[in-house]
Amino acid sequence: MYRERPARLAGAVLWTSTAPADADPTRVLPDGCLDLLWSSRAGLLVAGPDRRAQLSAGGSGERWVGLRLPPGAGPAVFGLPADALRDRRVPLADLWGDRAVAELAERAARAPGEALESVALARLRRVGGVDPLGVRVAARLRAGATVAATAAEEGLDPRVLHRRCRALFGYGPKTLARILRMQRALALARAGTPLAEVAVRSGYADQAHLTRDVRDLAGVPPTALLSPVRSAGGVVSPGQSAGGAGSGSGA
């Protein structure tokens, strides 16, 4: 019931999901992303970056379409710092106003994916694109660089990097690094790598450290996340959004 494809916006993903009648709550893992969402029932929403997994379930038959923006791109699209939306789900009209959203809602009712992609691209063109610092920092941390090394590479005082990261990603670089490390670890585990090796390759002290960190961020141990259900119910992969989700959407 869940599908995704690359969006026209570089690094973004367009996903769709329809909740079945017997949907279990969806566990949506933190990913450093913001989502622009359309729901057949709730209309247009924004899902901010989460620090921990969210549980959410869409209503029976509810259709969701979401544009998952790459880490650091959300502030340029929505026009405010990411930490203003951290752990929040808000109607898009609260950010852009009723008039602008009413027009977009009409377009989204006919072709939601096209409407979401088009408005995001238009807003990025208007502000000159995403902040390149966000792209570079996310890439370095995703590759396993330390926060100290990232700050040094950017020529930034660690306090300045922390402030910039809060605005770009919703939280500081250490939290983003933990989230991206969890994603790397789960990707390795799903590819068949034993958890003890996953821990070493992902930068954890040992397997116990991996388990503690994943449990803290996801609410369950790694073994519970290794057979995700790609639907509106069940466990959702890192970075994936599902029915009523969208970086952890819902009420």
Side-chain angles (χ1 to χ4, degrees):
M1 305 296 287
Y2 175 90
R3 294 181 178 85
E4 65 176 42
R5 65 166 175 81
R8 288 185 288 149
L9 190 158
V13 171
L14 188 72
W15 58 266
T16 62
S17 178
T18 302
D22 58 349
D24 294 324
T26 300
R27 183 179 303 275
V28 184
L29 305 187
D31 54 13
C33 300
L34 283 77
D35 284 46
L36 176 57
L37 307 171
W38 174 83
S39 160
S40 59
R41 297 184 183 181
L44 291 160
L45 305 166
V46 178
D50 292 318
R51 286 171 289 186
R52 287 176 173 80
Q54 301 285 330
L55 289 177
S56 176
S60 176
E62 185 173 9
R63 185 185 178 208
W64 287 84
V65 179
L67 179 66
R68 187 167 68 244
L69 300 166
V77 172
F78 296 118
L80 77 172
D83 55 355
L85 294 167
R86 185 178 58 227
D87 299 324
R88 297 180 62 201
R89 313 291 175 262
V90 299
L92 185 61
D94 288 358
L95 306 184
W96 293 356
D98 292 335
R99 181 177 298 180
V101 172
E103 179 183 351
L104 178 60
E106 291 181 4
R107 294 164 53 196
R110 298 189 297 269
E114 170 64 25
L116 300 185
E117 286 184 294
S118 295
V119 73
L121 285 167
R123 290 182 68 89
L124 282 176
R125 285 194 295 268
R126 192 179 309 161
V127 300
V130 302
D131 187 333
L133 176 67
V135 177
R136 296 194 302 268
V137 168
R140 288 191 174 107
L141 295 179
R142 186 178 292 112
T146 65
V147 172
T150 299
E153 286 288 333
E154 291 296 332
L156 294 175
D157 181 273
R159 290 171 296 181
V160 175
L161 178 64
H162 186 271
R163 184 169 65 249
R164 296 285 300 277
C165 284
R166 283 177 61 90
L168 286 167
F169 308 113
Y171 24 65
K174 288 185 179 179
T175 298
L176 179 63
R178 286 183 68 206
I179 289 169
L180 296 178
R181 180 174 62 179
M182 177 182 69
Q183 293 183 350
R184 292 198 310 274
L186 292 175
L188 285 171
R190 290 195 181 102
T193 306
L195 287 178
E197 183 180 346
V198 166
V200 173
R201 292 175 59 182
S202 301
Y204 295 94
D206 51 30
Q207 185 174 337
H209 181 203
L210 163 67
T211 298
R212 288 194 305 272
D213 210 50
V214 171
R215 188 188 294 274
D216 183 51
L217 291 169
V220 292
T223 51
L225 300 171
L226 298 184
S227 299
V229 177
R230 287 184 172 269
S231 72
V235 174
V236 181
S237 305
Q240 181 179 318
S241 307
S247 285
S249 178

